[in-house]
């Protein structure tokens, strides 16, 4: 029912007669020719709220006159006249036109039906040998209007070349709009330029105001997709209508501290927004104007506009088209009355006889060149279809609209020297303010998002051992094991490798101490060899003394391998010689302490034990067993899992190289338990002989030696848990060396003193007297 009423109204409108006015002798809206071009221009644009829900056709001439659209209307007429006067383009062929005042987006179909009709009849969706009388249509001016009428032309593949407002990205879908073309930039190009602006000036907190129609909503959708993977945040967006509450809108943006506003809208809507901003005393804002209103000539003249901030305009370059001004002067000079027999069709009335030449020439020139280039593109395509050559075209060729479309329009554009550059310029330059939700974090501080917007965040300094990569400002990245970084770093630095070198002063002191130890061992060995048959040497163990001295010298080898870069070989030699041969030393002291207790305390009560100990040389069997058992345990441990190089990362700026002390001790518990048990037993047996003769102090010497040895290693173990780095290696080397010195000096030095300075005590009689005196007192 609605469709029937609508069609009837359209046909009724087409039969309306023009008001009794004076028209120019030649109609502005139509001209005959061999081939016709259709034109759709909103000379009298209708208010969007007018008759919003009433199905009726609109008489456009009753609406407000648009001078800028009228200038574009005249540009199409001028372009066709220029082509008809050309001898190189379409020779001996004339182009005609039929133009309609397409003043409404949704209620202006009479002109469309007229262009589609064949002999006054429209036969949609039926195969027919007849096609539309026009070969192409130039227009319309808005995305909504194009969305409404374009499908009607697409049915017969009539080329539709749109000019300015039809920049929505939906028209790029060739499946839906196969014969749609345009000589203006699509929205995506404009959005791309806006994005470059925002990135250039680091504006990340922006508002997007758009006209609430297909054009504006498409711009918003494209902008949202473009900023998805950028640092830019859409803080606020709003669709603008005629009844928009601009003061409330501006207060909302002020509350969000938005300083950059993208105004993706038309002239009349932009004018309402900017005037409201002036009235609300808005200052220090950046207003980004798209090409639909950037060349507005009246806004820059408004009082107070300089206070609102900076207006950045995006527009096509202004191109002067030679001959257009002369065409307007010539056209306006013809002021004769219309032939009363001529009746204009619906929406082909202008009522613009009062418009001055100067008004047309100085009107807004934006999107005039797209009109000019659209007409020329169609002409070049037709030139190719008609196989035009030098001075003539083949008019016998039947031209259908789809044939014109099939020719490459873009090659035609190149022939017309059509440019697709966009011009960006500053209309009013007062300030370039900052616009952000949160100020950028300093270097080395990561962002922690707060709320839904990625532009709103707090700053947290990256801890040491991490750094902030510019590609990911939201996460502090850990440095590699071989690198370090201070707090708040943006890069990691390589860690310095440290170990105790042989040239280190402390290492030199320890090695000198080891050499002195070896010298003492040699000297004591010579002294004991020269006095081998004396009681002091025999009471110290006789041949066992040389075994202890030899093992001490072999133990000292380990000290030298605490220095230099640690390797598996170095780490093995740090522990193996010391653990093996020091076990022999402790086993000798244990055997010696047991032998003393056996002679002085066990022998009187259990003489068989002492006899068996002496007869079968049990002490040598015990020492050999301890040696071989420890050797088997150590070889097994070292062959299966030798101590490896260890990296101590306690100091964040350097790596200390050492050997795996703690892990090796944990995995090699039995060898350490064996030597610890021997030390403990030696201490116990020697301590049991503390009441031996005062001058016979061998047991006391062993007791003190074992006590000192325990004290040294307990101190080292404690120190090992409270220090880090090279200090551990130094302390380990010192503990090893002190262990050797404690045994050498405490056990052997008193005997050397007697041999050298108390020879009277180094006699058989002296020792016999001591033993007899103790035996008598013990038996009592």
């Amino acid at each position: 029912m609605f469709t029937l009423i609508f069609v009837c109204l359209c046909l009724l409108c087409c039969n309306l007669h023009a008001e009794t006015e004076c028209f120019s002798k030649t109609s502005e809206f139509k001209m005959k020719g061999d081939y016709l071009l259709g034109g759709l221009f909103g000379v009298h644009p209708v208010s969007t709220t007018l008759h919003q829900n009433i199905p009726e056709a609109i008489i456009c001439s009753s609406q407000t006159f648009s001078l800028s659209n009228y200038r574009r209307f005249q540009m199409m007429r001028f372009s066709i006249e220029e082509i008809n006067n050309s001898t190189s383009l379409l020779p001996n062929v004339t182009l005609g036109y039929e133009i309609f005042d397409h003043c409404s987006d949704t209620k202006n179909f009479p002109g469309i039906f007229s262009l589609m009709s064949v002999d006054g009849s429209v036969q949609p969706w039926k195969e027919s040998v007849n096609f539309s009388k026009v070969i192409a249509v130039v227009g319309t001016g808005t995305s909504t209007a194009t969305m409404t009428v374009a499908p009607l032309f697409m049915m017969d593949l009539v080329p539709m070349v749109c000019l300015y407002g039809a920049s929505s990205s939906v028209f790029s879908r060739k499946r839906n709009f196969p014969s749609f073309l345009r000589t203006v930039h699509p929205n995506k190009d404009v959005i791309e330029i806006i994005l470059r602006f925002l990135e250039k000036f680091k504006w990340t907190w922006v508002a997007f105001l758009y006209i609430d129609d297909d054009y504006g909503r498409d711009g918003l959708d494209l902008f949202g997709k473009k900023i998805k993977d950028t640092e830019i945040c859409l803080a606020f967006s709003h669709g603008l209508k005629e009844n928009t509450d601009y003061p409330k809108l501006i207060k909302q943006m002020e509350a969000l501290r938005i300083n950059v506003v993208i105004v993706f809208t038309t002239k009349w809507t932009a004018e309402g927004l900017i005037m409201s901003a002036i009235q609300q005393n808005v200052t220090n804002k950046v207003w980004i104007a798209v090409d639909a209103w950037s060349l507005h000539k009246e806004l820059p003249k408004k009082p107070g506009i300089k206070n609102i901030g900076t207006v950045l305009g995006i527009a096509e370059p202004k191109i002067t088209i030679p001959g257009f001004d002369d065409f307007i002067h010539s056209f306006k000079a013809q002021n004769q009355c219309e032939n009363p027999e001529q009746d204009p069709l619906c929406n082909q009335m202008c009522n613009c006889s009062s418009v001055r030449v100067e008004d047309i020439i100085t009107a807004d020139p934006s999107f005039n060149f797209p009109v000019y280039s659209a007409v020329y593109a169609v002409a070049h395509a037709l030139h190719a279809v008609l196989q035009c050559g030098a001075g003539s075209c083949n008019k016998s060729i039947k031209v259908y609209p789809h044939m014109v479309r099939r020719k490459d329009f873009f090659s035609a554009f190149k022939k017309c020297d059509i440019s697709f550059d966009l011009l960006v310029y500053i209309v009013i330059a007062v300030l370039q303010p900052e616009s952000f939700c949160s100020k950028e974090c300093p270097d080395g501080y990561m962002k922690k998002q707060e709320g839904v917007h990625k532009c709103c965040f707090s700053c947290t300094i990256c801890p040491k051992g991490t750094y902030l990569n510019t590609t990911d400002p939201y996460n502090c990245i850990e440095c590699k094991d071989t690198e370090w970084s201070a707090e708040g770093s943006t890069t990691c630095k390589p860690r310095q490798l440290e170990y105790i070198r042989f040239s280190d002063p402390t290492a030199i002191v320890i090695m000198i101490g080891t050499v002195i130890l070896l010298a003492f061992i040699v000297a004591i060995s010579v002294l004991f060899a020269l006095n081998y048959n004396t009681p002091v040497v025999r009471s110290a163990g006789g041949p066992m003394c040389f075994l202890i001295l030899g093992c001490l010298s072999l133990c000292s080898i380990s000290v030298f391998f605490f220095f230099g870069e640690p390797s598996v070989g170095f780490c093995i030699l740090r522990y193996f010689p010391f653990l093996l041969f020091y076990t022999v030393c402790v086993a000798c002291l244990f055997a010696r302490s047991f032998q003393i207790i056996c002679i002085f305390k066990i022998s009187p009560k259990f003489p068989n034990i002492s006899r068996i100990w002496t007869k079968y040389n049990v002490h040598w069997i015990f020492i050999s067993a301890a040696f071989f058992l420890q050797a088997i345990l150590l070889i097994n441990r070292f062959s299966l899992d030798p101590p490896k190089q260890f990296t101590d990362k306690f100091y964040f700026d350097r790596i200390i190289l050492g050997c795996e002390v703690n892990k090796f001790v944990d995995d090699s518990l039995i060898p350490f338990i064996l030597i610890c048990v021997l030390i403990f037993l030696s201490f116990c047996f020697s301590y049991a002989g503390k009441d031996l003769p005062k001058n016979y102090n061998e047991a006391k010497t062993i007791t003190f030696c074992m006590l000192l040895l325990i004290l040294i290693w307990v101190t080292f173990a404690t120190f090992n848990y409270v220090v880090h780095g090279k200090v551990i290696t130094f302390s380990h080397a010192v503990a090893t060396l002190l262990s050797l010195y404690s045994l050498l000096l405490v056990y052997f030095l008193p005997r050397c003193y007697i041999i050298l300075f108390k020879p009277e005590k180094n006699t058989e009689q002296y020792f016999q007297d001591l033993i007899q005196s103790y035996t008598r007192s013990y038996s009592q």
Side-chain angles (χ1 to χ4, degrees):
M1 185 65 181
F2 171 79
T3 306
L4 180 61
I5 295 174
F6 182 74
V7 172
C8 291
L9 289 173
C10 291
L11 295 176
L12 176 64
C13 178
C14 287
N15 291 324
L16 291 176
H17 291 281
E19 300 174 4
T20 56
E21 291 185 5
C22 186
F23 291 86
S24 55
K25 188 174 184 179
T26 303
S27 174
E28 299 178 69
F29 289 90
K30 61 175 67 175
M31 185 180 76
K32 293 182 179 180
D34 297 327
Y35 301 97
L36 290 183
L37 270 67
L40 298 172
F41 295 89
V43 179
H44 299 84
V46 176
S47 170
T48 55
T49 58
L50 182 64
H51 311 300
Q52 193 164 9
N53 298 315
I54 301 176
E56 63 177 351
I58 302 298
I59 301 176
C60 295
S61 59
S62 64
Q63 305 302 316
T64 305
F65 177 73
S66 172
L67 186 59
S68 58
N69 282 348
Y70 184 66
R71 192 180 198 275
R72 297 175 191 123
F73 166 84
Q74 296 297 340
M75 182 59 69
M76 178 174 176
R77 296 181 62 242
F78 164 73
S79 304
I80 292 175
E81 181 175 296
E82 191 176 59
I83 292 171
N84 288 338
N85 292 331
S86 172
T87 57
S88 58
L89 181 60
L90 293 175
N92 79 327
V93 172
T94 57
L95 292 179
Y97 56 81
E98 187 163 359
I99 306 174
F100 288 89
D101 186 359
H102 193 76
C103 58
S104 171
D105 290 344
T106 57
K107 306 183 183 209
N108 207 183
F109 285 87
I112 308 299
F113 292 148
S114 178
L115 293 176
M116 293 175 58
S117 66
V118 179
D119 296 329
S121 175
V122 178
Q123 297 179 343
W125 302 293
K126 286 188 178 181
E127 293 185 3
S128 175
V129 295
N130 295 321
F131 283 86
S132 170
K133 57 188 175 184
V134 297
I135 59 171
V137 176
V138 177
T140 60
T142 67
S143 291
T144 302
T146 305
M147 191 78 71
T148 305
V149 304
L152 300 175
F153 292 111
M154 298 299 109
M155 290 188 301
D156 290 332
L157 299 179
V158 176
M160 186 174 181
V161 190
C162 286
L163 309 173
Y164 46 104
S167 54
S168 175
S169 58
V170 70
F171 300 120
S172 298
R173 302 172 188 167
K174 285 300 178 184
R175 181 179 177 181
N176 299 331
F177 301 93
S179 61
F180 180 88
L181 297 155
R182 54 187 160 197
T183 54
V184 291
H185 284 269
N187 283 345
K188 66 180 183 67
D189 292 350
V190 178
I191 294 296
E192 182 66 35
I193 290 181
I194 293 174
L195 188 66
R196 291 180 190 175
F197 255 109
L198 300 180
E199 291 175 340
K200 172 68 176 178
F201 295 105
K202 298 181 179 179
W203 292 326
T204 59
W205 192 240
V206 300
F208 194 97
L209 305 182
Y210 59 97
I211 185 169
D212 195 10
D213 62 7
D214 295 292
Y215 165 74
R217 288 188 291 271
D218 180 66
L220 176 66
D221 181 61
L222 289 172
F223 183 74
K225 292 177 181 178
K226 280 287 186 181
I227 65 172
K228 186 176 181 181
D229 297 322
T230 68
E231 295 297 317
I232 299 168
C233 293
L234 181 56
F236 180 79
S237 63
H238 195 274
L240 304 181
K241 302 177 182 179
E242 286 194 353
N243 59 350
T244 297
D245 187 348
Y246 289 113
K248 179 181 178 181
L249 188 67
I250 291 172
K251 287 179 181 178
Q252 288 176 314
M253 291 191 293
E254 290 285 356
L256 292 171
R257 305 192 312 274
I258 300 172
N259 289 330
V260 175
V261 184
I262 300 166
V263 187
F264 202 92
T265 184
T266 54
K267 277 186 181 181
W268 46 88
T269 312
E271 185 173 349
L273 172 67
I274 298 300
M275 292 306 298
S276 179
I278 295 172
Q279 294 168 7
Q280 296 294 315
N281 295 321
V282 175
T283 58
N284 298 338
K285 292 281 189 292
V286 172
W287 308 83
I288 299 180
V290 295
D291 48 355
W293 69 278
S294 59
L295 295 181
H296 197 298
K297 289 197 171 185
E298 300 302 321
L299 274 180
K301 302 175 184 177
K302 300 293 183 181
I305 193 171
K306 291 186 178 180
N307 298 327
I308 68 171
T310 302
V311 179
L312 300 177
I314 302 173
E316 63 173 15
K318 183 179 178 181
I319 299 175
T320 301
I321 300 175
F324 178 70
D325 293 354
D326 295 335
F327 170 79
I328 297 298
H329 280 286
S330 174
F331 161 69
K332 294 301 289 184
Q334 302 173 7
N335 196 23
Q336 300 177 8
C337 288
E338 177 71 42
N339 186 338
E341 295 181 358
Q342 277 190 334
D343 290 334
L345 293 178
C346 181
N347 294 340
Q348 287 186 321
M349 297 176 291
C350 184
N351 295 341
C352 50
S353 58
S354 61
V355 179
R356 299 180 304 164
V357 172
E358 292 76 13
D359 295 335
I360 301 175
I361 293 175
T362 59
D364 178 9
S366 59
F367 303 111
N368 278 237
F369 186 69
V371 177
Y372 183 79
S373 58
V375 175
Y376 265 86
V378 174
H380 276 280
L382 181 62
H383 186 92
V385 171
L386 294 176
Q387 301 174 0
C388 297
S392 65
C393 297
N394 186 358
K395 291 185 177 181
S396 63
I397 297 175
K398 181 66 174 178
V399 179
Y400 299 105
H402 70 271
M403 297 173 64
V404 178
R405 169 194 168 270
R406 200 163 56 226
K407 295 300 177 181
D408 188 359
F409 265 72
F410 290 100
S411 64
F413 290 163
K414 292 178 182 178
K415 292 179 182 177
C416 297
D417 192 26
I418 297 172
S419 171
F420 279 90
D421 293 332
L422 278 176
L423 176 66
V424 183
Y425 64 96
I426 299 178
V427 178
I428 305 168
V430 180
L431 295 173
Q432 301 289 358
E434 295 179 328
S435 186
F436 50 79
C437 178
S438 300
K439 194 171 183 179
E440 278 299 314
C441 294
D443 292 341
Y445 283 73
M446 73 171 181
K447 298 177 180 178
K448 184 178 180 181
Q449 186 171 326
E450 297 180 345
V452 296
H453 292 291
K454 60 188 174 184
C455 296
C456 301
F457 48 82
S458 58
C459 298
T460 305
I461 192 169
C462 287
K464 65 180 182 180
T466 65
Y467 71 100
L468 189 71
N469 195 327
T470 54
T471 59
D472 183 11
Y474 296 95
N475 295 289
C476 296
I477 304 172
E478 290 189 3
C479 296
K480 298 178 182 177
D481 288 343
T482 57
E483 297 176 334
W484 72 278
S485 67
E487 191 178 56
S489 296
T490 56
T491 57
C492 291
K493 301 177 182 177
R495 288 188 177 187
Q496 182 181 356
L497 295 178
E498 286 190 4
Y499 54 89
I500 304 177
R501 291 173 169 79
F502 286 100
S503 58
D504 192 284
T506 309
I508 293 174
V509 171
I510 294 174
M511 287 188 290
I512 291 174
T514 307
V515 172
I516 294 174
L517 173 73
L518 290 172
F520 274 126
I521 291 173
V522 172
I524 293 172
S525 298
V526 172
L527 182 63
F528 272 46
L530 295 176
N531 297 273
Y532 182 75
N533 294 319
T534 62
V536 170
V537 175
R538 289 201 304 272
S539 67
M544 194 180 293
C545 294
F546 295 99
L547 178 60
I548 295 173
L549 291 171
C551 288
L552 288 177
S553 62
L554 293 173
C555 287
S556 63
I557 295 174
S558 296
V559 178
F560 294 99
F561 290 97
F562 282 96
F563 315 117
E565 183 176 356
S567 63
V568 175
F570 267 52
C571 291
I572 290 174
L573 291 173
R574 280 187 188 184
Y575 307 121
F576 188 87
F578 178 78
L579 291 174
L580 179 62
F581 296 111
Y582 207 79
T583 300
V584 175
C585 296
V586 176
C588 290
L589 294 180
F590 167 76
R592 187 60 187 152
S593 62
F594 182 82
Q595 190 173 7
I596 293 171
I597 296 300
C598 185
I599 292 172
F600 285 97
K601 292 191 175 184
I602 299 177
S603 180
K605 296 181 180 180
F606 305 98
N608 290 332
I609 294 178
S610 178
R611 188 169 53 253
I612 292 172
W613 180 273
T614 306
K615 181 179 179 180
Y616 294 103
N617 294 318
V618 177
H619 57 290
W620 290 114
I621 295 173
F622 178 81
I623 294 171
S624 300
F627 171 76
F628 285 112
L629 177 60
Q630 186 70 309
I632 291 170
L633 292 174
L634 290 175
I635 291 172
N636 179 65
R637 180 69 262 167
F638 279 105
S639 61
L640 292 177
D641 187 18
K644 302 178 183 65
Q645 186 184 86
F646 172 74
T647 54
D648 186 353
K649 300 169 185 173
F650 178 79
Y651 303 101
F652 67 94
D653 61 338
R654 59 189 185 274
I655 296 177
I656 309 298
L657 299 181
C659 295
E660 295 177 308
V661 180
N662 296 333
K663 182 177 183 300
F664 179 72
V665 171
D666 294 339
D667 295 342
S668 311
L669 200 57
I670 296 178
F672 284 94
I673 289 176
L674 177 60
I675 194 170
C676 290
V677 168
L678 290 175
I679 292 174
F680 178 74
L681 291 176
S682 298
F683 174 77
C684 291
F685 280 109
S686 61
Y687 184 76
K690 65 182 184 300
D691 56 346
L692 291 177
K694 181 178 180 181
N695 293 327
Y696 190 85
N697 55 5
E698 187 173 355
K700 296 178 181 178
T701 301
I702 295 175
T703 301
F704 183 70
C705 182
M706 293 299 104
L707 185 63
L708 186 60
L709 191 63
I710 293 170
L711 181 63
I712 289 172
W713 287 105
V714 168
T715 302
F716 166 71
T718 305
F719 199 63
N720 186 48
Y721 281 98
V722 297
V723 297
H724 294 272
K726 295 192 295 184
V727 180
I728 294 178
T729 306
F730 277 125
S731 62
H732 197 174
V734 170
T736 301
L737 186 60
L738 289 178
S739 299
L740 301 178
Y741 266 105
S742 66
L743 189 57
L744 181 70
L745 299 180
V746 175
Y747 189 76
F748 289 99
L749 193 60
R751 288 159 177 75
C752 294
Y753 177 77
I754 293 173
I755 293 172
L756 294 175
F757 303 106
K758 299 289 184 177
E760 66 276 9
K761 293 182 180 182
N762 192 13
T763 61
E764 293 285 349
Q765 186 61 43
Y766 181 80
F767 274 81
Q768 287 293 335
D769 293 342
L770 288 175
I771 295 171
Q772 290 174 4
S773 175
Y774 175 78
T775 303
R776 284 194 299 269
S777 63
Y778 184 77
S779 62
Q780 294 176 356

